[in-house]
Amino acid sequence: SQTIHQWPATLVQPVGSPLSLECTVEGTSNPNLYWYRQAAGRGLQLLFYSVGIGQISSEVPQNLSASRPQDRQFILSSKKLLLSDSGFYLCAWSVDNRGGKNIQYFGAGTRLSVL
Amino acid sequence: AQKITQTQPGMFVQEKEAVTLDCTYDTSDQSYGLFWYKQPSSGEMIFLIYQGSYDEQNATEGRYSLNFQKARKSANLVISASQLGDSAMYFCAMRLRSFGNEKLTFGTGTRLTIIP
């Protein structure tokens, strides 16, 4: 069965420091991968998605970037964190199917606090 | 642009009662999918149920059913015989089923609290 791993679970970083959040998927090949951010008490906002190695689509201009160095690995990065980068970050995966459901399955999330 | 509206910020329901969580959507596309996710206090988003815009029958998954009214653009989640473990945030989401479109648009969520 497929599983998704996301780490770390919580992170406290000072303003101006770099960031690297990692997400890996097991049990499937060539998944679509996503990074979302959830502000406190809000819905999810799609940040990046990837349909293949090295293919990254950005949804919202921001201080963050994403990379996909391997088929089942998705990394969210920042060179210099801002206070506004605080939030709950969720990674998700899906696979294309002819039924069109493309259900997205989520990791456990990373709670980032920028101080 | 598509939009999801969940008008109930919070709901309190007695254990074992049925509960309906409201969701309306706005899109001019004919082909789309609707999703419900549950987010417990741990934070993980758990997929519950899916409804395609061309599906003629309402989707059901165990105690979850989706009351899909296409003309009214509503996709309400019904939970039968609620349990204490159902206390969580619930999010409605939509995805346009156009080629290459991977974006899920989420509503702001409803916090459901089950009272013993």
Side-chain angles (χ1 to χ4, degrees), chain A residues 2 8-10 20 22 33 36 45-46 53 56 78 88 95 107 115:
Chain A
Q2 301 90 352
T10 58
S20 181
E22 189 164 340
L33 297 172
Y36 287 87
Q45 180 186 40
L46 179 64
I53 296 175
I56 309 294
S78 172
F88 190 54
V95 290
L115 305 177

Side-chain angles (χ1 to χ4, degrees), chain A residues 9-61:
Chain A
T10 58
L11 191 59
V12 181
Q13 291 285 100
V15 169
S17 63
L19 173 73
S20 181
L21 302 181
E22 189 164 340
C23 170
T24 60
V25 180
E26 295 178 358
T28 187
S29 297
N30 197 31
N32 301 317
L33 297 172
Y34 313 83
W35 278 110
Y36 287 87
R37 178 168 60 200
Q38 184 178 28
R42 309 284 293 274
L44 272 66
Q45 180 186 40
L46 179 64
L47 301 175
F48 302 95
Y49 70 88
S50 171
V51 298
I53 296 175
Q55 301 178 58
I56 309 294
S57 296
S58 174
E59 286 293 308
V60 181

Side-chain angles (χ1 to χ4, degrees), chain B residues 24-89:
Chain B
T24 57
Y25 59 92
D26 186 21
T27 181
S28 55
D29 281 44
Q30 298 301 310
S31 181
Y32 50 88
L34 296 158
F35 305 76
W36 277 93
Y37 284 86
K38 172 183 178 182
Q39 187 178 39
S41 56
S42 60
E44 182 180 0
M45 296 286 283
I46 302 168
F47 166 72
L48 295 178
I49 196 166
Y50 166 86
Q51 179 85 40
S53 58
Y54 293 121
D55 294 342
E56 294 183 352
Q57 305 245 345
N58 285 342
T60 60
E61 291 285 348
R63 294 188 298 113
Y64 304 107
S65 60
L66 201 152
N67 184 1
F68 182 45
Q69 299 188 41
K70 194 171 182 177
R72 299 179 62 181
K73 293 188 175 180
S74 76
N76 297 340
L77 176 71
V78 180
I79 306 174
S80 63
S82 58
Q83 302 171 357
L84 295 178
D86 294 332
S87 294
M89 284 288 289

